[in-house]
């Protein structure tokens, strides 16, 4: 059982390194952004597996938070790439 | 009555002067001021019988008793003599200034306030027994002299002269303070009397000579000795009453007073004797030689003052020799010094006043434009004649007697057998004699070039006429005193000079009468000084009559090689050099400043770490390395590398986000859920903030960084990383005390009633930190709002610059 989790962890780490190469190389910004989003998902899985290894429930909050943050981050990045700004000015003013 | 308070009387009176000047416009303010020196003179005169019997009077009050600092008014022969000079000539100068300064055109309020401040300062200098309060008054004389020289502050020359005298005298004053402090430490007291009585305890100390030299710096700068005399000629920009008072009769004699006052302490030191007598003689020669070069009346008098001060200084040096020899021959010198000091104060005061009168009545002080004033200004001429001949040392005037005494002491010097005086001592009378010849020449030059010769009245700015009688009163009184000094020298000697000599050499005499030297005008046909004087008169007359032929010699000295050029050079060099230096390292680039800070930080850390042997690596205290910690580190390192290497800003921001997330993962790995939560949120927000500001951020490569810069940056960054790593490793290996975390673990539930240790520490055990971090956040929030909302528009800020 433990070995299985260890193998899973290592595989996820390796894929994290792989996506990091994408972040590193690009070539375009959306490539990097998708890679970063992928890293977020991998972080979630790593923390979940680590919680099993450490036999604790304290990291469940972290998992939820990463899910939210990763979403918000990706959305804001996307908006930035699309419009050049994250928060729109109130045009009616 | 505690007469120590009288020192402060002029300063107290100065408080009322501006009011009087403004409210009582009908009467010249000087008349009110005149009361003070007259009262003081009369009061202090009553102490003459006391000091003449060898006694002294002391009055004091504590200022800072815990530090041993007090105001002490100590009246013995020496300080009383100076006090009488200050108040007496002060009264005459105030009287003179009443007629010299116009009450409608001049700012008399300022003038008399400065003058009264100066009077207090001078009284304090000569009466203080405590060296710290002596220093206090000493600097007050420098400051009030600065104010008085710069009285006509709209003129460039006045400001330059004031600044120059301030720089030099305050510089010397600070050195003197150093000497005082050394003396105070050595003798364990600030009282001069106690320093003298405890002399044997500390005179062998190696710092003793240093104290003597530092003290002499103060005395030489104040008394315009070589090479510090250069401020005195420039101080002639002051109003003439000031020149007459400060720069001939009183302030420049403060240095002489200091030397005389400290002679009982330092006379044993050969350095002291050589410096005082040698520098004095050099100044005498230098000043008298260059006085003939001057074309400004006050310039001649300034150089003559320098030269005469040198004369007195050399006599004071010779007076210290009396401590080393029982020969009564050397006891003459101190008497001669004090006697000439009185003489000089009297005749130089009158000469300055005459120069002022000539300036006032003709509109110029240039000796080349003046001439033939004798017929229109007979009284002034008479006074100048008396003063000038006294300065030249010709009978029947006071200067003759002291000049004879001076030559006699100088001739005696070569009989002294210590400190190489028997080989070099012969120089003293020779130089002294040559200097006397030049003194003769410039005295005649001053008197006769101004008052005799061809009349050139049409060239003068004003039509010359005799000065008003009020302006002539003071010089006439002084001129009469000059003659009186010749005819009654022994009365002055008995009542004033001998007590002063005894005060300057207390170990040698028990009664002032022992110190009194009978002064005769006629020494007999065989005496050496008599023939020297005859020689001075003969050679001096020859030189004076042929002055046109040899005066061009002075043109040979290039302006660049003078001491003034040296002073100017030093001033401009220090200003420009410092400017260059600061511009060199303060180049306005933050990069450069960061380079300084970081390289200093890393070099200091590494050097100290290894110099003190503090580096230590304890392998046993390290915990085992887990696999996913290694993998996570690789992620973090790659992210960091990318931040550094990235070519555009957005990839750098993304990579920074990756680093932040991997740090969060580290927190998970090391079991810190709260930290991981916070780290994730903060990381996301800061990345979002970076993006928010993205449009306003400059492109990455706008710093113009060259390859060389990058190499330097790399080395320094490596150094900082290395030093922090080394410190962290050795700090971890050197844990001296156990952690207190066990206490938190044990009590988190029982004491605080919580389960989450981190949160309980944040809000319970150490809630204060949290409070102020909340404050930090609020300040940051308000500041951001302020920066965005309260930004002045560009136009408004331009207005502000104007």
């Amino acid at each position: 059982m433990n070995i299985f989790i260890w193998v899973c962890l290592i595989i996820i780490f390796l894929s994290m390194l792989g996506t990091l190469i994408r972040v590193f190389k690009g070539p375009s910004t959306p490539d990097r952004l998708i890679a970063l989003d992928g890293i977020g998902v991998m972080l979630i899985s790593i923390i979940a597996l680590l919680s099993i290894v450490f036999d604790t429930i304290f990291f469940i909050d972290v998992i939820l938070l990463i899910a939210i943050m990763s979403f918000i981050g990706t959305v804001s990045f996307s908006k930035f790439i699309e419009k050049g700004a994250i928060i729109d000015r109130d045009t009616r003013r | 009555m505690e007469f120590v308070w009288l020192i402060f009387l002029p300063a107290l009176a100065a408080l009322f002067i501006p009011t009087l000047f403004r409210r009582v416009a009908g009467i010249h303010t000087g008349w009110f001021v005149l009361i003070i020196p007259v009262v003081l003179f009369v009061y202090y005169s009553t102490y003459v019988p006391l000091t003449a019997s060898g006694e002294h009077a002391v009055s004091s009050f504590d200022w800072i008793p815990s530090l041993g600092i007090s105001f002490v008014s100590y009246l013995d022969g020496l300080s009383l003599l100076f006090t009488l000079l200050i108040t007496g000539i002060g009264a005459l100068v105030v009287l003179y200034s009443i007629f010299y300064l116009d009450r409608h055109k001049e700012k008399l309020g300022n003038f008399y306030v400065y003058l009264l401040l100066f009077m207090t300062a001078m009284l304090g200098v000569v009466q203080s027994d405590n060296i710290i309060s002596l220093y206090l008054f000493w600097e007050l004389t420098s400051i009030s002299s600065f104010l008085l020289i710069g009285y006509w502050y709209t003129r460039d020359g006045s400001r330059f002269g004031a600044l120059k005298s301030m720089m030099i005298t305050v510089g010397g004053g600070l050195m003197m303070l150093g000497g005082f402090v050394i003396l105070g430490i050595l003798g364990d007291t600030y009282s001069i009397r106690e320093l003298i009585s405890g002399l044997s305890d500390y005179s062998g100390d190696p710092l003793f000579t240093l104290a003597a030299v530092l003290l002499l710096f103060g005395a030489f700068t104040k008394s315009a000795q070589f090479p510090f005399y250069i401020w005195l000629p420039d101080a002639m920009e002051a109003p003439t009453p000031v020149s007459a008072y400060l720069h001939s009769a009183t302030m420049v004699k403060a240095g002489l007073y200091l030397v005389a006052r400290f002679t009982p302490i330092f006379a044993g030191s050969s350095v002291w004797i050589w410096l005082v007598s040698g520098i004095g003689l050099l100044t005498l020669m230098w000043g008298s030689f260059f006085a003939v070069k001057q074309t400004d009346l006050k310039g001649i008098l300034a150089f003559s003052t320098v030269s005469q001060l040198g004369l007195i200084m050399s006599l004071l040096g010779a007076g210290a020799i009396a401590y080393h020899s029982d020969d009564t021959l050397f006891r003459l010198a101190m008497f001669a010094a004090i006697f000439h000091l009185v003489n000089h104060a009297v005749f130089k005061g009158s000469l300055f006043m005459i120069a002022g009168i000539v300036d006032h009545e003709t509109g110029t002080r240039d000796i080349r434009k003046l001439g033939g004033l004798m017929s229109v200004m007979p009284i002034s001429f008479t006074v100048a004649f008396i003063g000038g001949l006294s300065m030249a040392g010709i009978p029947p005037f006071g200067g003759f007697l002291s000049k004879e005494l001076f030559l006699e002491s100088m001739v005696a010097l070569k009989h002294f057998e210590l400190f190489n005086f028997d080989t070099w001592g012969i120089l003293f009378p020779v130089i002294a004699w040559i200097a006397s010849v030049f003194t003769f020449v410039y005295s005649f030059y001053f008197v006769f070039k101004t008052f005799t010769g061809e009349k050139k009245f049409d060239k003068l700015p004003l039509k010359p006429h005799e000065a008003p009688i009020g302006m002539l009163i003071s010089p006439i009184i002084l001129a009469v005193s000059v003659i009186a000094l010749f005819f009654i020298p022994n009365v002055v000697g008995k009542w004033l000079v001998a007590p002063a000599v005894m005060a300057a050499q207390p170990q040698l005499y028990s009664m002032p009468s022992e110190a009194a030297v009978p002064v005769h005008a006629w020494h007999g046909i065989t005496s050496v000084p008599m023939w020297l004087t005859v020689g001075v008169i003969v050679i001096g007359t020859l030189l004076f009559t042929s002055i046109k032929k040899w005066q061009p010699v002075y043109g040979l000295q290039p302006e660049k090689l003078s001491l003034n050029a040296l002073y100017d050079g030093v001033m401009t060099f220090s200003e420009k050099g410092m400017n260059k230096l600061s511009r060199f390292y303060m180049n306005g680039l933050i990069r450069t400043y960061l380079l300084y800070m970081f390289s200093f930080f890393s070099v200091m850390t590494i050097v100290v770490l290894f110099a003190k042997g503090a580096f230590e690596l304890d392998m046993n205290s390290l915990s085992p390395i887990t696999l996913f910690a290694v993998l996570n580190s690789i992620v973090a390192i790659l992210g960091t590398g990318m931040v550094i290497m990235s070519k555009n800003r957005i990839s750098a921001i993304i990579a920074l986000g990756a680093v932040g997330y991997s740090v969060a993962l580290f927190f998970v790995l090391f079991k810190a859920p709260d930290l991981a939560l916070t780290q994730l949120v903060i990381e996301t927000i800061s990345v979002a903030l970076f993006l928010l500001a993205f449009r306003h951020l400059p492109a990455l490569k706008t710093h113009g960084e060259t390859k060389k810069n990058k190499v330097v940056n790399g080395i320094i960054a490596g150094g900082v990383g290395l030093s922090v790593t080394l410190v962290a490793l050795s700090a971890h290996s050197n844990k001296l005390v156990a952690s207190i975390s066990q206490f938190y673990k044990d009590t988190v539930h029982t004491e605080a009633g919580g389960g989450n240790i981190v949160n309980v520490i944040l809000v319970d055990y150490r809630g204060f930190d949290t409070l102020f971090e909340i404050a930090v956040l609020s300040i940051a929030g308000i500041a951001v709002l302020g920066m965005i909302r309260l930004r002045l528009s560009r136009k408004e800020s331009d207005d502000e610059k104007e």
Side-chain angles (χ1 to χ4, degrees), chain A residues 6 9-10 13 17 20 23-24 29 32 36 43 46-47 50 54 58-59 62 65-66 69 77 80 86, chain B residues 627-628 631-632 634-635 638 642 650-651 654 661 665 668-669 671 673 677 680-681 684 687-688 691-692 694:
Chain A
W6 273 104
L9 265 174
I10 287 165
F13 259 119
L17 283 178
L20 213 68
V23 174
F24 197 72
T29 308
R32 295 196 171 95
L36 203 65
L43 270 179
I46 288 173
I47 291 169
L50 281 178
F54 296 147
F58 287 119
F59 290 117
V62 180
L65 196 79
I66 293 176
M69 285 299 153
F77 257 115
F80 177 75
I86 298 171
Chain B
L627 184 63
F628 32 74
L631 291 172
N632 198 29
I634 292 171
V635 173
L638 280 178
M642 186 177 163
I650 192 144
S651 40
I654 293 172
Y661 283 142
L665 196 58
V668 174
L669 276 175
K671 295 171 193 166
L677 280 174
L680 282 168
V681 178
T684 312
V687 168
L691 290 177
L692 208 60
F694 187 82

Side-chain angles (χ1 to χ4, degrees), chain B residues 292 300 304 308 351 384 387-393 438-449 544:
Chain B
V292 192
I300 301 172
S304 118
Q308 304 277 321
L351 287 177
L389 264 59
S390 178
M391 182 157 75
F438 277 102
T439 308
F440 182 92
V441 174
Y442 73 66
S443 305
F444 273 56
Y445 176 64
F446 175 83
V447 177
F448 291 106
K449 287 285 171 193
F544 176 66

Side-chain angles (χ1 to χ4, degrees), chain B residues 118-130:
Chain B
F118 172 78
M119 207 177 280
T120 283
M122 246 354 255
L123 287 176
V125 165
V126 300
Q127 295 186 4
S128 285
D129 183 54
N130 188 293

Side-chain angles (χ1 to χ4, degrees), chain B residues 627-662:
Chain B
L627 184 63
F628 32 74
V630 173
L631 291 172
N632 198 29
S633 310
I634 292 171
V635 173
I637 289 167
L638 280 178
T640 315
M642 186 177 163
V643 173
I644 299 170
M645 304 286 193
S646 64
K647 295 271 186 286
N648 58 18
R649 202 176 281 278
I650 192 144
S651 40
I653 292 171
I654 293 172
L656 201 62
V659 173
Y661 283 142
S662 68

